[in-house]
Amino acid sequence: MSYYDIPTSALPAWTTNFVSTAALNSVTLGLSAPQVAALQSQLAALNSAFAARETALEAAKSATVAKDQKVAEVIGVIRGYANTWQASATVPDTLIAALGLNVRDTTHTTRPVFVPLALVVLPNVTGTNELRWKRNGNLQGVKFDIEVSYEAPGAWAAVTTVTSAKFKHTGQTPGQTAYYRVRARNGANVSDWSVSASTFANDGGGTLTLAA
């Protein structure tokens, strides 16, 4: 391999062979003693430079480890103060921002709500009207407002609010027609009312059933 083809990392070994071979064959090569000494001096300087580089690399690795440890230590201390101050109602947001910290977000986003579907009313001779409906994508925790009207739909009155997709309205008069409607609510987000359903069989809302 020619000297201009070898990797830099292999140069010390290649040069060592070059200089030692040239010194052993100085007469044949026409090298004087000062020339051989100059080659050996160049080899020594090359090896010294590579050794200094290795020392510097090891020092850099150690310095990097020490730096990373100190960064983690400082971040830990800052995080402790930041969490305390950001959670404190007595520390103003202007000061939080001046410290270079994220200002606490006091806004609360609420998930959208959807109109409940397929409301069904199943009356019972015991005076309990059982309501069921489909959540229509409303997640757990969304509340459902229930209203009732004992006349043609319009004179609505609040019944209750539940989180499940069913409700038993007890204490009702068996055989009395009652109309119901349901809507979903999550914080400030409120859906439209569902299509009403009633206890009257011909209305399609449900049929009168006997208690088990």
Side-chain angles (χ1 to χ4, degrees), residues 10-201:
L11 186 60
W14 189 94
T15 305
T16 298
N17 175 74
F18 175 85
V19 172
S20 62
T21 301
L24 289 173
N25 298 275
S26 59
V27 175
T28 302
L29 296 173
L31 292 175
S32 64
Q35 289 175 317
V36 171
L39 286 174
Q40 292 172 335
S41 177
Q42 290 291 337
L43 175 61
L46 178 66
N47 289 333
S48 177
F50 269 80
R53 176 180 178 274
E54 290 301 317
T55 300
L57 288 175
E58 290 300 321
K61 291 179 182 178
S62 298
T64 300
V65 171
K67 180 264 295 181
D68 291 343
Q69 291 176 341
K70 179 54 65 176
V71 167
E73 179 183 340
V74 170
I75 291 297
V77 172
I78 292 175
R79 182 184 295 114
Y81 284 118
N83 290 341
T84 299
W85 295 336
Q86 288 172 322
S88 175
T90 61
V91 179
D93 289 345
T94 52
L95 181 52
I96 294 293
L99 288 165
L101 303 175
N102 292 330
V103 176
R104 50 186 164 255
D105 184 5
T106 57
T107 61
H108 300 283
T109 57
T110 56
R111 294 171 177 170
V113 291
F114 309 98
V115 179
L117 299 177
L119 173 63
V120 174
V121 181
L122 301 175
N124 191 286
V125 293
T126 63
T128 296
N129 296 332
E130 183 175 347
L131 284 66
R132 299 176 185 173
W133 59 91
K134 293 184 179 180
R135 303 185 69 90
N136 189 26
N138 289 299
L139 302 178
Q140 296 297 325
V142 169
K143 298 178 180 180
F144 296 100
D145 298 327
I146 303 172
E147 289 189 346
V148 65
S149 175
Y150 297 105
E151 303 173 3
W156 297 104
V159 176
T160 189
T161 298
V162 297
T163 55
S164 63
K166 59 183 178 180
F167 174 70
K168 291 183 179 181
H169 195 195
T170 59
Q172 302 305 294
T173 303
Q176 181 183 24
T177 299
Y179 297 87
Y180 292 90
R181 66 179 184 177
V182 182
R183 70 179 178 183
R185 177 163 53 85
N186 186 21
N189 293 337
V190 181
S191 75
D192 291 333
W193 288 101
S194 68
V195 175
S196 63
S198 77
T199 56
F200 182 50

Side-chain angles (χ1 to χ4, degrees), residues 1-19:
M1 179 182 293
S2 178
Y3 63 87
Y4 50 75
D5 292 326
I6 63 175
T8 301
S9 60
L11 186 60
W14 189 94
T15 305
T16 298
N17 175 74
F18 175 85
V19 172

